[in-house]
Amino acid sequence: MAGYLYYLLPAVGGYALTSLYFLKNPHILHKKKRTAFHCTHISHRGGCGERIENTMEAFTHAVEVGTEMLEIDCHLTKDGHVVVSHDENLLRQTGQDINISSLNLEELPPYKETLEVTFKAGHFSTGSDRKIALLEDVFRKFPHTAVNIEVKENNRVLIEKISDLVKKYNREGTSVWASVDSTIMKNCRKTNSSMPYMFTVKRGLQLLLLYYTGLLPFVPLGESFLQFYMPQIINREYIPEMWILRSSLVTSLIERITLRKGMFKHLTDRGIQIHLFVCNEEEDIEAAFAAGATGVMSDYPTLLSNYIRRHKQDT
């Protein structure tokens, strides 16, 4: 046994030191990614705390106060239009228990006059615009604003139509594929490989495994963005449906495992942007940036803009 340790300990020590060296100096093994944009300010659902979510009014307001990226979700109507909506079923948003895919564009109901902010329990937003927006209208009106497009369903036609619109408006560098599902992401990338893309949940877990085993510095990464929950908002600003996430012990463990400055620094040095969400209080915005986030996503674009402006003045 002692003979094995004689060889094993130096090998493990050498591996650990080598891994640490390349973790801190990723440029030696990897070419830094160069995305067409860098965003610090991201508006979740178009800034749904200040205007009704995903409406043109919300997008316009967010851009006017300084957002650099709009985070949206897309679905397909019965007659083939790509619309911006978080939910496929419209019960929460409109009060009508019906799916977008079963309606033609002209049949879509308006949003409710007030909507609860998902990541700010007990708070509501309102606005004069209650119309479900077209993705094409977003592209047309905001040609220079980055858009993070989350695809929630493995719908080949939807993915192809999103890609066609991205190409039509010459937005392949400023439109980002996003999905929690690796199968959906695979199809998005297959349809349009020119668009940058996010880590999925599976790939995020793999990233953590690579980091903790010391393999991360040696593995190429295709993703340009890492985006996930700011753990401290769970059960305070956001009440999750999964019962296991309602345990303070679990959320504390998630925070300790995921918010690793060393990992974030390595990723940013490789050109991968880190977005933490959904930060709707100044303390959460501050904690996100302190953890190493390159960008913060909020339902309150004015709040985030004011924080960033003050921070720049202080520095």
Side-chain angles (χ1 to χ4, degrees):
M1 182 65 178
Y4 285 116
L5 291 176
Y6 181 80
Y7 294 103
L8 181 61
L9 291 178
V12 171
Y15 169 73
L17 289 173
T18 303
S19 176
L20 182 60
Y21 176 77
F22 286 117
L23 185 74
K24 294 180 179 295
N25 298 279
H27 62 277
I28 297 175
L29 298 179
H30 305 283
K31 183 178 179 180
K32 188 172 183 178
K33 294 178 182 294
R34 302 289 181 183
T35 51
F37 65 93
H38 183 280
C39 56
T40 303
H41 187 305
I42 305 112
S43 290
H44 182 242
R45 303 184 195 175
C48 61
E50 297 177 4
R51 299 292 190 274
I52 293 177
E53 66 182 53
N54 288 322
T55 57
M56 293 302 293
E57 181 182 26
F59 301 140
T60 301
H61 171 69
V63 171
E64 286 177 348
V65 300
T67 201
E68 297 157 313
M69 172 184 271
L70 299 170
E71 186 275 341
I72 65 174
D73 310 85
C74 289
H75 296 278
L76 196 66
T77 63
K78 184 179 179 180
D79 52 348
H81 292 277
V82 181
V83 295
V84 182
S85 171
H86 182 269
D87 304 345
E88 156 70 356
N89 183 276
L90 294 173
L91 180 61
R92 176 187 67 86
Q93 296 160 258
T94 71
Q96 296 191 31
D97 187 7
I98 193 165
N99 292 337
I100 290 174
S101 57
S102 67
L103 298 172
N104 293 326
L105 179 64
E106 62 183 18
E107 298 172 323
L108 293 174
Y111 284 110
K112 295 176 182 176
E113 291 185 1
T114 60
L115 277 181
E116 185 170 20
V117 182
T118 304
F119 289 87
K120 186 72 170 173
H123 290 251
F124 295 81
S125 63
T126 188
S128 59
D129 184 4
R130 296 166 55 200
K131 183 180 179 182
I132 295 176
L134 285 164
L135 178 61
E136 184 164 16
D137 288 343
V138 177
F139 284 173
R140 186 183 294 117
K141 185 164 185 178
F142 310 105
H144 306 299
T145 303
V147 178
N148 171 14
I149 306 168
E150 182 168 357
V151 182
K152 287 185 162 67
E153 54 185 296
N154 196 13
N155 183 324
R156 179 184 57 80
V157 177
L158 170 63
I159 294 170
E160 288 178 352
K161 283 182 175 288
I162 291 173
S163 175
D164 289 343
L165 287 170
V166 167
K167 292 176 181 177
K168 177 180 177 180
Y169 288 93
N170 194 28
R171 293 187 51 96
E172 288 180 290
T174 55
S175 299
V176 181
W177 286 126
S179 182
V180 299
D181 187 285
S182 291
T183 300
I184 294 175
M185 181 59 76
K186 181 180 179 180
N187 289 332
C188 289
R189 291 179 57 204
K190 183 178 179 181
T191 302
N192 192 329
S193 61
S194 298
M195 292 169 58
Y197 61 99
M198 299 267 182
F199 280 87
T200 62
V201 170
K202 181 179 178 180
R203 285 286 292 159
L205 293 173
Q206 290 174 350
L207 177 69
L208 287 172
L209 181 62
L210 290 172
Y211 173 70
Y212 282 108
T213 58
L215 291 170
L216 179 58
F218 310 105
V219 177
L221 300 171
E223 293 87 352
S224 296
F225 301 87
L226 175 64
Q227 174 184 297
F228 63 90
Y229 287 118
M230 186 68 186
Q232 70 183 42
I233 72 167
I234 300 175
N235 296 313
R236 179 171 56 81
E237 298 294 321
Y238 169 64
I239 310 301
E241 294 183 3
M242 293 179 62
W243 64 269
I244 193 170
L245 291 177
R246 296 184 182 181
S247 165
S248 59
L249 180 62
V250 171
T251 54
S252 177
L253 181 62
I254 291 173
E255 183 169 352
R256 289 179 177 274
I257 291 173
T258 59
L259 296 188
R260 309 304 303 179
K261 287 187 178 180
M263 180 177 70
F264 287 174
K265 179 66 166 56
H266 175 80
L267 293 176
T268 55
D269 285 346
R270 288 173 66 167
I272 297 172
Q273 298 180 46
I274 315 294
H275 298 166
L276 296 181
F277 70 96
V278 175
C279 300
N280 291 332
E281 295 285 348
E282 283 203 5
E283 64 183 278
D284 300 323
I285 297 171
E286 185 173 7
F289 283 125
T294 60
V296 166
M297 189 184 303
S298 178
D299 291 321
Y300 295 87
T302 304
L303 173 75
L304 182 54
S305 289
N306 289 339
Y307 176 89
I308 293 172
R309 189 179 303 111
R310 288 198 308 273
H311 177 74
K312 286 182 178 179
Q313 290 174 349
D314 293 340
T315 57

